[in-house]
Amino acid sequence: LMFFGIFLCLDAFLYVFTLLPLRVFLAMFRFITLPCYGLRDRRLLQPAQVCDMLKGVILVICYFMMHYVDYSMMYHLIRGQSVIKLYIIYNMLEVADRLISSFGQDILDALYWTATEPKERKRAHIGVIPHFFMAVFYVFLHAILIMVQATTLNVAFNSHNKSLLTIMMSNNFVEIKGSVFKKFEKNNLFQMSNSDIKERFTNYVLLLIVCLRNMEQFSWNPDHFWVLFPDVCMVVASEIAVDIVKHAFITKFNDITADVYSEYRASLAFDLVSSRQKNAYTDYSDSVSRRMGFIPLPLAVLLIRVVTSSIKVQGVLAYVCVVLFYCGLISLKVLNSIVLLGKSCQYVKEAKMEEKLFNPVLTATPGKPAGKQQGTFKSTQGISTDENGSTSVTNQPVHQKENMPSLLVTSNSDQFLTTPDGEEKDISQDSSELKHRSAKKDLLEIDRFTICGNRID
């Protein structure tokens, strides 16, 4: 699950550097050549192209805003603080990162929603402006927060006695104390697993930034990299060890079998496969962002800022190397996407979830009448369409007339991934297989109800 999730995050992260510039270029080309085609579809740009343009503009604006943040001054300011104060600051940054990520996803969803809603709603043209500025402010603030995290980690690497690095690594073991002795259900464990995947991938990028800054200071001497390498391995090994111990004891104390992680992996694979359908709205990176809380835009802004300030491109040969490197990134992105898609189809088939891609079944939710369930089904399973049939803000196409009978189907279980402990003790051995199947079905309910930012007509 961890390997699969990290490669999902990597694919969503590479999308910002590889396919997003190409999609922005195609959207600009359509906008320029629009008089040649006329306004027959009453749209200047398709909804997916509008969101691509917004992402590109946000990246460019935040990149230029980051030039006003002095990395060297921040480094020396943090280096002058005491060890205990830096330890407290790093803990506060981790909490702030999780909170801002959750709030930032809502901001970006609101921006995409107001930018692509039908023209009949006049507030779309007014609401997109404040939402755009809020999104720019969020990406810039989040990028600065990640920069402070990377700077603190860099100070820990360069400290003489390595005391700060040791304290920061011991902070991972404090995480075991805060989570092992709590009551966990399967859906809570799913959220924790996604958070751990996102945190580990972010730490890898932070370590990359630290290595880039240190190598720049030593004129890219390869000998200095081998000085940093043991510390990098120590940080990664401690993170992996803490996650293994934490999940092992959580599953032990809550009587959760290890097979549940294959269900979690199938759920992530279902997100990927469902967003690859013919009428999918955009790249599945949005689904990964909503599921794991991983938002690649701030991290991409910071990495671009660090790379451009650390590496100077001069001469024709250097630009040729940049073009070749970009082609290599595109090749890596395409190869990673092909492997992930093939593995995802395999996991979905093993979990017997493929029928849900085309025959979704709505289950009853507590406290909601049937009329509201229909609206929820339409908002989560497909993209709302305007009068011309152009798609807008979700992953899967809507076939309302074909799926109308399935709206009346209800389920006896209102739970998602768990059953009460008392029921588990009373269930006989004969019904264990039926319960295992119902758990997988309930996993699909989480697939539907946790994806946010979708359109409700």
Side-chain angles (χ1 to χ4, degrees):
L1 171 67
M2 196 65 69
F3 274 113
F4 184 72
I6 286 177
F7 279 105
L8 280 177
C9 293
L10 176 64
D11 212 38
F13 191 58
L14 289 177
Y15 169 78
V16 179
F17 300 99
T18 56
L19 298 186
L20 182 60
L22 298 179
R23 292 169 66 102
V24 172
F25 175 76
L26 292 176
M28 293 177 61
F29 181 77
R30 171 185 168 84
F31 185 78
I32 294 174
T33 60
L34 193 64
C36 301
Y37 299 100
L39 295 176
R40 288 172 295 183
D41 57 353
R42 298 180 61 187
R43 279 187 179 273
L44 296 177
L45 295 173
Q46 295 300 321
Q49 293 175 323
V50 172
C51 293
D52 292 333
M53 292 289 292
L54 290 174
K55 291 178 184 178
V57 173
I58 290 173
L59 277 175
V60 172
I61 292 178
C62 292
Y63 169 73
F64 284 107
M65 291 173 65
M66 288 294 291
H67 280 285
Y68 294 95
V69 181
D70 192 349
Y71 186 92
S72 301
M73 184 185 69
M74 183 183 297
Y75 176 83
H76 291 289
L77 182 65
I78 293 177
R79 190 182 180 88
Q81 306 299 323
S82 62
V83 173
I84 299 300
K85 186 182 293 186
L86 288 180
Y87 173 71
I88 296 175
I89 290 175
Y90 193 79
N91 288 339
M92 292 173 60
L93 290 175
E94 285 188 345
V95 176
D97 178 61
R98 296 186 181 185
L99 296 178
I100 292 179
S101 296
S102 176
F103 186 61
Q105 185 60 55
D106 295 336
I107 292 177
L108 294 176
D109 285 339
L111 173 64
Y112 302 152
W113 155 242
T114 52
T116 59
E117 61 181 339
K119 288 186 176 181
E120 287 78 8
R121 304 178 183 180
K122 299 300 182 183
R123 67 184 178 87
H125 307 288
I126 303 176
V128 71
I129 297 176
H131 285 170
F132 175 76
F133 284 109
M134 289 173 63
V136 171
F137 177 73
Y138 153 71
V139 173
F140 177 66
L141 181 65
H142 198 176
I144 291 180
L145 189 144
I146 300 174
M147 176 182 280
V148 176
Q149 278 185 301
T151 307
T152 308
L153 191 61
N154 197 6
V155 170
F157 268 74
N158 293 328
S159 60
H160 296 290
N161 54 5
K162 305 292 182 182
S163 59
L164 178 59
L165 184 62
T166 306
I167 293 176
M168 290 169 62
M169 288 172 55
S170 66
N171 186 41
N172 294 329
F173 292 90
V174 178
E175 185 181 351
I176 297 179
K177 175 185 176 183
S179 57
V180 164
F181 302 106
K182 292 181 180 179
K183 176 65 177 177
F184 274 89
E185 297 179 350
K186 290 184 180 180
N187 52 354
N188 303 120
L189 185 59
F190 187 32
Q191 296 172 0
M192 172 175 282
S193 301
N194 291 330
S195 177
D196 290 340
I197 293 171
K198 174 251 182 183
E199 180 182 358
R200 188 178 297 186
F201 181 80
T202 305
N203 287 337
Y204 292 161
V205 179
L206 291 180
L207 290 174
L208 175 63
I209 292 174
V210 169
C211 291
L212 286 175
R213 296 297 301 178
N214 278 276
M215 293 296 291
E216 181 205 1
Q217 297 300 322
F218 286 87
S219 302
W220 301 97
N221 185 5
D223 295 334
H224 183 68
F225 175 76
W226 298 111
V227 175
L228 294 173
F229 189 72
D231 294 334
V232 172
C233 293
M234 191 166 52
V235 172
V236 173
S238 67
E239 187 75 25
I240 294 175
V242 166
D243 285 343
I244 291 176
V245 173
K246 179 175 66 175
H247 284 270
F249 279 99
I250 286 176
T251 52
K252 172 182 170 59
F253 292 153
N254 294 277
D255 295 327
I256 301 175
T257 61
D259 295 335
V260 73
Y261 291 103
S262 63
E263 298 180 10
Y264 298 160
R265 186 181 60 186
S267 176
L268 295 178
F270 183 87
D271 284 344
L272 192 150
V273 175
S274 62
S275 64
R276 295 289 186 174
Q277 296 187 32
K278 182 178 179 180
N279 295 325
Y281 152 64
T282 184
D283 198 88
Y284 72 95
S285 58
D286 292 326
S287 297
V288 175
S289 300
R290 296 185 185 100
R291 174 71 77 187
M292 299 183 182
F294 172 68
I295 305 176
L297 290 181
L299 205 57
V301 169
L302 177 60
L303 187 60
I304 295 173
R305 171 71 176 86
V306 171
V307 170
T308 53
S309 62
S310 301
I311 301 176
K312 304 300 181 183
V313 180
Q314 296 177 352
V316 178
L317 183 59
Y319 284 102
V320 171
C321 292
V322 170
V323 173
L324 292 177
F325 181 73
Y326 178 70
C327 295
L329 283 181
I330 293 180
S331 302
L332 177 62
K333 157 70 177 165
V334 173
L335 178 62
N336 193 25
S337 300
I338 292 173
V339 175
L340 282 177
L341 186 58
K343 285 293 184 180
S344 298
C345 294
Q346 176 185 344
Y347 298 148
V348 169
K349 288 181 180 179
E350 290 176 356
K352 299 180 181 179
M353 298 163 64
E354 64 271 12
E355 66 275 4
K356 286 291 180 179
L357 293 172
F358 307 102
N359 298 316
V361 179
L362 181 70
T363 58
T365 55
K368 287 189 178 182
K372 291 186 178 180
Q373 292 174 14
Q374 180 176 351
T376 306
F377 169 76
K378 188 173 182 181
S379 67
T380 55
Q381 289 295 330
I383 312 168
S384 68
T385 56
D386 55 11
E387 64 276 2
N388 296 310
S390 59
T391 55
S392 295
V393 174
T394 56
N395 295 336
Q396 303 179 27
V398 174
H399 304 288
Q400 186 176 3
K401 294 182 181 179
E402 297 176 5
N403 294 328
M404 188 62 69
S406 65
L407 297 178
L408 303 178
V409 180
T410 58
S411 171
N412 293 328
S413 174
D414 292 334
Q415 302 170 359
F416 291 153
L417 278 172
T418 62
T419 54
D421 295 336
E423 292 183 9
E424 290 183 356
K425 296 177 182 178
D426 296 337
I427 291 178
S428 63
Q429 188 73 20
D430 300 333
S431 61
S432 62
E433 184 179 359
L434 178 62
K435 179 185 173 185
H436 184 65
R437 285 202 302 266
S438 66
K440 290 187 177 181
K441 181 179 179 181
D442 292 338
L443 182 64
L444 294 174
E445 306 305 324
I446 285 196
D447 286 339
R448 188 165 69 249
F449 289 112
T450 56
I451 296 178
C452 62
N454 296 330
R455 173 164 298 180
I456 300 177
D457 282 342

